[in-house]
Amino acid sequence: MRRILAALAVLAIAACSAPTETSDTTDAESAAVARAIYDAFAVGDISTFAGLLHAEIVWNEAENYPYADNNPYIGPDAVLEGVIGRVVTEWEGFAAVPESMIAQGDRVAVMGRYTGTFIATGEAMDAQFVHVWTIQDGQAIAFQQHADTWQARRASGMD
């Protein structure tokens, strides 16, 4: 399964525009920014999390995911209000845990799992995800989520 997810992540990176030729962001720099985003989220450091998002970030939740209703979210405030704020108030013990990363220039694909219990239904989720980040000047300028939407919708009582 991990090999399939890794292959899908490589395809997702290839399907997006190739890293820009003018980008001087290295694989390690991009991966470090992505890792810092997950680390800040994990400890609830919203200030650091938001600071790692570019002022014009374009954030897209997976189609049919519960928080895709306002796609795309433009800017850190929209992400914090429309996605992160909802996640932290609607889920107990929510976590987005990266298991592996593939970095290529300014693109980073992160494979991992979401876990948590939706408060209103008491239903738990343990769902896989692939996140594709685009990093520019030490900040995330684009985010695309690919996730097990069925589990999120089931847990939240949507399906």
Side-chain angles (χ1 to χ4, degrees), residues 8-32:
L8 287 173
V10 170
L11 289 174
I13 290 172
C16 299
S17 62
T20 57
E21 291 182 25
T22 59
S23 174
D24 58 0
T25 304
T26 67
D27 298 353
E29 290 168 338
S30 294

Side-chain angles (χ1 to χ4, degrees), residues 70-146:
N70 292 311
N71 276 348
Y73 296 89
I74 308 294
D77 290 342
V79 172
L80 291 175
E81 182 180 328
V83 180
I84 305 305
R86 291 162 70 183
V87 166
V88 299
T89 60
E90 295 176 358
W91 293 85
E92 183 174 322
F94 183 89
V97 179
E99 295 175 342
S100 61
M101 292 186 184
I102 300 170
Q104 180 182 6
D106 61 359
R107 298 290 171 107
V108 182
V110 179
M111 288 71 61
R113 300 201 72 82
Y114 291 132
T115 57
T117 301
F118 198 75
I119 295 167
T121 63
E123 293 290 326
M125 171 177 69
D126 183 0
Q128 63 187 352
F129 69 74
V130 175
H131 294 159
V132 180
W133 298 91
T134 303
I135 308 300
Q136 178 182 315
D137 299 324
Q139 293 180 305
I141 188 131
F143 169 84
Q144 176 62 59
Q145 174 200 51
H146 302 276

Side-chain angles (χ1 to χ4, degrees), residues 48-73:
T48 297
F49 177 90
L52 291 165
L53 304 181
H54 190 280
E56 297 176 11
I57 187 169
V58 177
W59 181 292
N60 282 289
E61 294 286 292
E63 293 177 4
N64 299 309
Y65 201 76
Y67 305 126
D69 54 346
N70 292 311
N71 276 348
Y73 296 89

